[in-house]
């Protein structure tokens, strides 16, 4: 399986807790590539902030 990261955006709820909503995936480029990472967004973060996490074991990569 290819290495990827889950792209999320944080949102603070009425209870004061931060929740992360998945808005895409990020794939690191091969060593020696001119770019570092490719990011595919499924939604636009309204707050302009993105946070990357390593996926949990039960997450499946989304392929479009």
């Amino acid at each position: 399986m290819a290495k990827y990261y889950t792209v999320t955006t944080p949102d603070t709820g009425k209870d004061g807790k931060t929740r992360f909503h998945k808005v895409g995936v990020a794939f690191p480029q091969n060593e020696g590539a001119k770019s570092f990472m490719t990011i595919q967004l499924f939604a636009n973060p309204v707050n302009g902030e993105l946070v990357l996490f390593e996926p949990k074991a039960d997450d499946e990569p989304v392929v479009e």
Side-chain angles (χ1 to χ4, degrees), residues 19-39:
R19 291 172 178 80
F20 294 90
H21 303 280
K22 185 175 179 178
V23 294
V25 292
F27 300 94
Q29 297 297 318
N30 293 330
E31 198 167 314
K34 292 183 180 181
S35 63
F36 176 71
M37 190 170 288
T38 299
I39 300 173

Side-chain angles (χ1 to χ4, degrees), residues 20-62:
F20 294 90
H21 303 280
K22 185 175 179 178
V23 294
V25 292
F27 300 94
Q29 297 297 318
N30 293 330
E31 198 167 314
K34 292 183 180 181
S35 63
F36 176 71
M37 190 170 288
T38 299
I39 300 173
Q40 296 176 344
L41 296 178
F42 310 131
N44 292 325
V46 293
N47 63 3
E49 186 175 357
L50 298 174
V51 179
L52 278 63
F53 289 101
E54 289 193 14
K56 297 176 184 172
D58 58 348
D59 281 353
E60 290 293 322
V62 178

